[in-house]
Amino acid sequence: MDFFNLDKILSGQPKYRRGQVWRWIFVGLIDDWDLASDLSKELKELLNEKLPLKIDYQLVADRRSSKAVIRLFDGEVIESVLIENKDGRHTVCVSSQVGCPLGCAFCATGKGGFKRNLSAAEIIIQVLIFARLLKPDGGRVDNIVFMGMGEPFLNWDNVKKSIEIFNDPQGLNIGARSISISTCGLLEGIEALIKFPLQVNLAISLHSASDDLRSRLMPIANTVSLRELMKAVKKYLLVKKRKVMFEYVMMEGINDDPAQAVELIELIKNLGAGPVMVNLLTYNPTGKFKPSSPESIKRFKKILVEGGIEAIIRESVGGKILGACGQLAGKKSN
Ligand code: SAH
Ligand code: SF4
C-alpha cells in the first residue's frame, strides 16, 4: 500500500481529491475503494488497481491482546500486537524491521537474524489493521510503541515518516506524546530524536547497570558503553525536557539481585538529570533465560523506590499468543 505515491496516482485530478482519498484511508479506515461513497466509479477502479487497501494478515487473539501476523509483498512475515489496557485504551506494538541484526541474547527476534528494514508504509499498515478492527465498536488506537521486531533507530528514516503520518491531524491523529520509541541504545538514534521536532517518548533498553553484564546480554554494549549511553540520555533530557523510560527485563539469577538494584540506583543518580523512570518487565521465556519470580521483581522495585527512583512493574502481555510485545518473532524462528 504505497500512500507515498498518492500524488502521482491522483495526477490530473482536482487538488481536493488528495485530502478526500487520504481521509478514506486514515479516517474512514475502509479496506476497499468501492466503499468510498463520494468517489467516481473510475477513480475507485484506479485506486483499487494502484492503491489496493487489502492487507494480507491473520489474527491470533487472547483475552486482552491480539496479534496480527502480516505477510509482506516479498513473502516476509512480521508481527504486531494490540494490547487493551485496563482503562480500555488501546496500544499497538509495531515492528520496524524484519528480524533484528543486534542479536541480544534474551530476544527471540535477535535470535532469528536480520532480513531487511520495513518501508514506512509497512510500518503504517500495522496500525491500520487494528484501527480498522476497533472502529466498528467506537474504539481507536490510542498509543503506539516501537517495541516489536527490530531496532527502530536502524531504520530511522522510515520510522520517522511513519510517525509523521500517525501524528497527522487529518489522519489517524495520534498525539506524539502517545508514541514511544524503544532502543537498545544507539547513540546516533538518540541524537536524531533530539533533533526531531515531534515530542515522542524515548525508552532505553538497559537491562543492566554494569557494562560487563550488559555486553554479555546485548552485543551493542561492546560498542556503546554505559558512560556514552548515559551522556546521550542526559543531553536528551536537558534538550527535550521529556521523561525517559529505562526498560529492565527481569531475568532470574542474571540481573535481579538486590546488589544490581543498588548499582542501577547509582547509575541513575550519576546521570545528574531527569526525569527518568524504570520499567521492570516480566521476561517472556524465549531462550535460555528464566523470568524472575514475582517476589524478586517486587523486591527489586522496592529497593529502587526506596533509593528515590520511580519504578513500575509491567506484566508482559500477550505471552499466551506468542506475541508478547518486545519479543515478537515468527514461531518458526523459535
Ligand atoms: N530493539 C528495540 C525495540 C524492540 S524490543 C529495543 O531493544 O529496545 C522492545 C523491548 O522488548 C526491549 O526492551 C527488549 O529488551 C524487550 N524484550 C526482548 N525480548 C524480550 C522477552 N523475551 N521478554 C520480554 N521483553 C523482551
Ligand atoms: Fe534487536 Fe531489541 Fe531484540 Fe535486541 S532486544 S535483538 S535490539 S529487537
Side-chain angles (χ1 to χ4, degrees):
M1 219 183 292
D2 195 0
F3 322 106
F4 299 96
N5 221 2
L6 205 52
D7 288 332
K8 207 167 145 208
I9 299 172
L10 295 178
S11 67
Q13 300 271 345
K15 265 230 159 77
Y16 66 86
R17 279 278 184 265
R18 191 186 190 285
Q20 217 177 352
V21 165
W22 192 260
R23 278 191 299 279
W24 277 115
I25 304 173
F26 292 106
V27 183
L29 296 167
I30 54 170
D31 62 0
D32 186 337
W33 286 108
D34 291 340
L35 300 168
S37 48
D38 57 357
L39 300 184
S40 70
K41 191 165 172 283
E42 292 72 40
L43 184 54
K44 285 187 216 171
E45 271 167 18
L46 176 76
L47 287 166
N48 270 331
E49 186 201 327
K50 303 271 189 209
L51 188 68
L53 295 174
K54 286 265 184 297
I55 304 171
D56 184 2
Y57 73 96
Q58 283 184 312
L59 209 63
V60 193
D62 71 6
R63 210 167 46 82
R64 272 184 51 225
S65 59
S66 326
K67 178 174 75 168
V69 181
I70 308 164
R71 183 171 296 274
L72 304 174
F73 75 96
D74 57 356
E76 294 296 349
V77 172
I78 51 161
E79 299 180 354
S80 349
V81 172
L82 173 77
I83 301 148
E84 186 173 326
N85 302 28
K86 288 203 176 91
D87 59 3
R89 291 170 68 81
H90 295 99
T91 300
V92 176
C93 177
V94 293
S95 296
S96 54
Q97 300 183 304
V98 184
C100 179
L102 294 173
C104 299
F106 49 83
C107 172
T109 305
K111 244 192 296 167
F114 173 66
K115 291 281 170 51
R116 65 172 175 86
N117 277 338
L118 293 181
S119 68
E122 287 170 330
I123 299 173
I124 294 162
I125 59 169
Q126 301 175 53
V127 174
L128 268 187
I129 288 176
F130 293 112
R132 288 177 184 175
L133 288 172
L134 291 166
K135 188 177 161 87
D137 296 325
R140 72 187 299 271
V141 174
D142 301 289
N143 304 296
I144 295 173
V145 293
F146 282 85
M147 294 188 184
M149 300 164 79
E151 166 55 47
F153 284 147
L154 287 178
N155 187 17
W156 175 237
D157 281 349
N158 292 335
V159 166
K160 189 165 66 175
K161 269 200 216 167
S162 70
I163 292 174
E164 283 160 354
I165 292 201
F166 293 146
N167 185 241
D168 179 1
Q170 306 300 321
L172 290 168
N173 194 19
I174 298 170
R177 287 163 189 263
S178 303
I179 300 175
S180 302
I181 297 190
S182 171
T183 177
C184 63
L186 294 184
L187 300 180
E188 59 278 18
I190 300 171
E191 278 295 330
L193 199 59
I194 292 174
K195 297 198 185 91
F196 187 51
L198 294 179
Q199 294 287 46
V200 294
N201 305 306
L202 173 64
I204 305 278
S205 293
L206 203 56
H207 312 321
S208 167
S210 126
D211 272 314
D212 183 41
L213 173 58
R214 209 166 172 265
S215 47
R216 276 183 279 137
L217 296 172
M218 314 168 70
I220 183 74
N222 289 308
T223 5
V224 180
S225 68
L226 280 169
R227 201 180 60 80
E228 291 168 300
L229 179 57
M230 289 300 134
K231 199 171 150 212
V233 170
K234 181 169 183 175
K235 182 169 172 196
Y236 175 92
L237 286 164
L238 296 176
V239 176
K240 299 290 264 194
K241 300 190 168 51
R242 307 264 304 138
K243 187 186 266 188
V244 169
M245 185 160 81
F246 290 117
E247 290 160 284
Y248 198 103
V249 172
M250 303 283 298
M251 292 170 273
E252 186 179 80
I254 303 286
N255 62 356
D256 62 353
D257 192 86
Q260 289 165 315
V262 174
E263 208 173 25
L264 181 56
I265 297 173
E266 288 285 296
L267 182 78
I268 294 178
K269 291 260 154 89
N270 285 338
L271 182 60
V276 301
M277 70 176 294
V278 176
N279 197 351
L280 299 171
L281 298 144
T282 310
Y283 179 59
N284 227 300
T286 54
K288 55 188 174 199
F289 302 108
K290 282 199 206 119
S292 302
S293 67
E295 295 71 42
S296 39
I297 300 179
K298 277 189 207 126
R299 180 179 61 188
F300 202 91
K301 179 187 165 187
K302 190 161 178 273
I303 300 170
L304 292 181
V305 172
E306 284 171 1
I309 307 294
E310 184 185 347
I312 56 159
I313 298 175
R314 200 182 71 189
E315 293 229 1
S316 138
V317 270
K320 286 195 189 64
I321 56 170
L322 269 174
C325 186
Q327 53 110 53
L328 302 181
K331 229 179 173 174
K332 60 179 169 30
S333 57
N334 275 319

